[in-house]
């Protein structure tokens, strides 16, 4: 099989999505699955929908187009505020978008009117992450302007936590978001359909004993893909952490007697780390590097230590004497490593347990399938 590659177990993606969706049923929160970390890969998105996601959310229009071209017809929301230069395409490909700027909303409204359609607007509120968002005291006024504008409809409000500042939302913050939903409705009239409380970092809050108020949607990426709470890194009960595995190939195993000289090593480039001289440790090189992934975000299998990486090489100290040139090594990835690897042109993506592939086979009958092979 080709290296480097990412093996994606779609059954585990379905399972992880299903586990979260089931646990959020009782508090009345639906899962909007976020596809940006895997560049809108259609089969992975379908696995999320199969697992119980109510819809999809994407940050980049190019990924939305990839989903649409593959025949994904479910509602897709753009979660990064649209670029003014893209409004026509946004209206064409997305049911709704998260917005923070009146100029963009007006342009979306004009584009929707030209296309004889209505585009959904979710106002993103700044609740402390200090990335994007409208200040809470401005939301009612802006909501009113959206309601009065032909071509757009006020679909809801949302907030985002722990993306820029790493702080998990408090129960008080979540109550404030619920109260804001009531305020906006009181001021603007129509019932707000979506109150989107945040991302994977909100799961401990949503699973907890606290009342979830008006929050009826969470946008979940990392927890589905990696089965962990992004802040603590702890596994979420009953979820798989290994839906994605990166496989890379060994291209050199010679034990080097040279030790990296600290004065010569460019730490920013090579990130050389001195590994204590150990007779059992061999230095090996894998054909993968910074251009493919975040080397520091690869989980080293037991008995292996990351020595360093360059653009195309990964240097590892290993106690595994069986590794030779041509051997494969398997790694679990952090979110950052996964995100880069999924976007790397040199990495092949191998799907396992693809139910849609067997469904296609069943629906179209074996003859069509045979004709393809
Ligand atoms: C990336 C992103 C999410 C998903 O975050 P995860 O931590 O992967 O669950 C949700 N909302 C917005 C606005 C995002 O940019």
């Amino acid at each position: 099989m080709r290296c480097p590659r990412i093996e994606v177990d779609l059954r585990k993606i379905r399972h992880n999505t299903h586990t979260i969706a089931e646990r959020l049923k009782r508090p009345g929160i639906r899962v909007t699955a976020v596809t940006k970390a895997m560049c809108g890969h259609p089969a992975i998105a379908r696995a999320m929908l199969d697992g119980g996601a109510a819809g999809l959310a994407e940050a980049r229009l190019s990924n939305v187009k990839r989903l649409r071209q593959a025949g994904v017809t479910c509602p897709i929301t753009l979660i990064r505020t649209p670029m003014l230069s893209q409004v026509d395409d946004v209206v064409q490909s997305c049911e709704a978008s998260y917005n923070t700027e009146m100029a963009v909303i007006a342009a979306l409204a004009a584009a929707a009117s030209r296309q004889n359609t209505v585009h959904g607007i979710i106002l993103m509120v700044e609740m402390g992450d200090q990335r994007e968002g409208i200040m809470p005291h401005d939301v009612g006024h802006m909501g009113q302007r959206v309601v009065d504008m032909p071509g757009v409809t006020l679909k809801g409000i949302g907030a985002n936590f722990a993306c820029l500042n790493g702080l998990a939302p408090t129960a008080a913050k979540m109550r404030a978001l619920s109260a804001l939903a009531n305020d906006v409705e009181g001021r603007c009239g129509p019932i707000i359909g979506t109150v989107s409380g945040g991302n994977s970092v909100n799961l401990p809050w949503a699973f907890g004993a606290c009342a979830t108020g008006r929050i009826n949607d969470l946008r979940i990426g990392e927890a589905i893909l990696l089965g962990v709470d992004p802040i603590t890194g702890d596994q979420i009960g009953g979820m798989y952490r290994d839906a994605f595995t990166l496989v890379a190939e060994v291209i050199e195993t010679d034990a080097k007697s040279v030790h990296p000289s600290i004065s010569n090593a460019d730490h920013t480039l090579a990130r050389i780390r001195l590994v204590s001289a150990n007779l059992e440790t061999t230095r090996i090189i894998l054909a993968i590097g910074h251009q493919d992934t975040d080397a520091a975000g690869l989980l080293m299998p037991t008995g292996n230590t990351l020595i360093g990486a360059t653009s195309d090489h990964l240097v590892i100290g290993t106690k595994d004497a069986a590794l030779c040139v041509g051997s494969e090594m398997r790694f679990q990835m952090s979110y950052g490593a996964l995100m880069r690897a999924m976007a790397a042109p040199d990495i092949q993506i191998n799907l396992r347990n693809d139910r849609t592939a067997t469904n296609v086979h069943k629906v179209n009958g074996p003859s069509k399938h045979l004709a393809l092979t």
Side-chain angles (χ1 to χ4, degrees):
M1 252 189 288
R2 218 182 97 177
C3 269
R5 65 177 183 274
I6 297 174
E7 292 175 359
V8 189
D9 191 331
L10 296 176
R11 184 181 64 82
K12 292 180 178 174
I13 299 288
R14 287 192 294 271
H15 172 92
N16 282 0
T17 315
H18 184 72
T19 304
I20 294 177
E22 283 298 308
R23 286 185 70 178
L24 292 182
K25 246 183 200 157
R26 205 155 50 101
I29 297 174
R30 60 177 182 258
V31 173
T32 298
V34 177
T35 52
K36 68 186 181 201
M38 30 78 159
C39 303
H41 193 294
I44 304 173
R46 283 201 181 96
M48 291 165 144
L49 292 166
D50 275 0
L56 300 176
E58 235 313 317
R60 293 173 191 245
L61 197 59
S62 52
N63 294 341
V64 176
K65 286 184 173 172
R66 182 180 180 194
L67 288 161
R68 291 301 189 214
Q69 268 152 23
V72 174
T73 55
C74 75
I76 302 180
T77 308
L78 196 67
I79 47 176
R80 182 172 70 183
T81 206
M83 293 183 228
L84 260 184
S85 56
Q86 290 185 329
V87 288
D88 287 291
D89 284 356
V90 170
V91 166
Q92 196 160 42
S93 314
C94 307
E95 274 70 15
S97 55
Y98 280 75
N99 283 273
T100 60
E101 291 283 347
M102 215 53 228
V104 176
I105 296 171
L108 287 165
S113 297
R114 280 196 296 276
Q115 294 178 32
N116 269 323
T117 182
V118 174
H119 184 71
I121 300 293
I122 299 176
L123 294 176
M124 186 62 115
V125 190
E126 159 58 36
M127 299 289 289
D129 186 41
Q130 294 180 16
R131 195 176 70 179
E132 79 275 40
I134 306 155
M135 294 315 286
H137 58 263
D138 292 331
V139 176
H141 173 66
M142 223 159 141
Q144 188 62 58
R145 291 179 69 186
V146 174
V147 169
D148 292 342
M149 198 178 281
V152 284
T153 176
L154 181 62
K155 221 185 137 197
I157 62 171
N160 199 48
F161 296 94
C163 269
L164 192 59
N165 72 7
L167 291 176
T170 59
K173 279 266 159 64
M174 301 311 290
R175 279 195 300 273
L177 184 63
S178 278
L180 196 60
N182 291 334
D183 287 354
V184 173
E185 275 175 3
R187 179 163 174 159
C188 305
I191 299 295
I192 284 180
T194 301
V195 183
S196 188
N199 54 46
S200 295
V201 305
N202 286 79
L203 288 175
W205 163 82
F207 292 161
C210 282
T212 48
R214 290 288 311 269
I215 314 301
N216 61 8
D217 175 88
L218 287 176
R219 310 172 305 272
I220 308 290
E222 182 168 354
I224 292 175
L225 302 174
L226 296 178
V228 296
D229 172 345
I231 290 187
T232 60
D234 293 340
Q235 182 166 9
I236 300 172
M239 308 256 289
Y240 290 108
R241 298 189 65 158
D242 58 350
F244 294 83
T245 306
L246 179 67
V247 188
E249 188 171 321
V250 178
I251 53 171
E252 187 184 303
T253 59
D254 292 337
K256 289 271 192 301
S257 55
V258 282
H259 284 283
S261 135
I262 300 171
S263 56
N264 287 339
D266 179 341
H267 287 261
T268 54
L269 258 185
R271 290 210 230 137
I272 291 286
R273 194 137 63 84
L274 285 173
V275 176
S276 58
N278 184 333
L279 289 176
E280 296 158 43
T281 304
T282 315
R283 193 174 166 282
I284 59 167
I285 300 177
L286 299 168
I288 193 165
H290 289 320
Q291 197 163 67
D292 309 285
T293 190
D294 173 15
L298 301 181
L299 195 77
M300 291 294 126
T302 333
N304 296 277
T305 325
L306 176 67
I307 295 176
T310 61
S311 54
D312 314 290
H313 299 75
L314 188 72
V315 185
I316 286 177
T318 186
K319 288 189 167 71
D320 185 352
L323 285 172
C324 56
V325 169
S327 294
E328 292 184 344
M329 272 189 87
R330 304 170 69 82
F331 304 92
Q332 300 323 136
M333 291 170 276
S334 71
Y335 184 77
L338 172 70
M339 184 181 67
R340 290 233 320 250
M342 287 300 293
D346 247 9
I347 299 186
Q348 191 177 61
I349 295 167
N350 282 11
L351 304 175
R352 308 203 150 171
N353 299 314
D354 189 353
R355 206 153 70 182
T356 48
T358 47
N359 284 349
V360 167
H361 181 84
K362 271 181 211 144
V363 170
N364 295 333
S367 56
K368 180 160 186 197
H369 190 71
L370 282 177
L372 285 172
T373 51

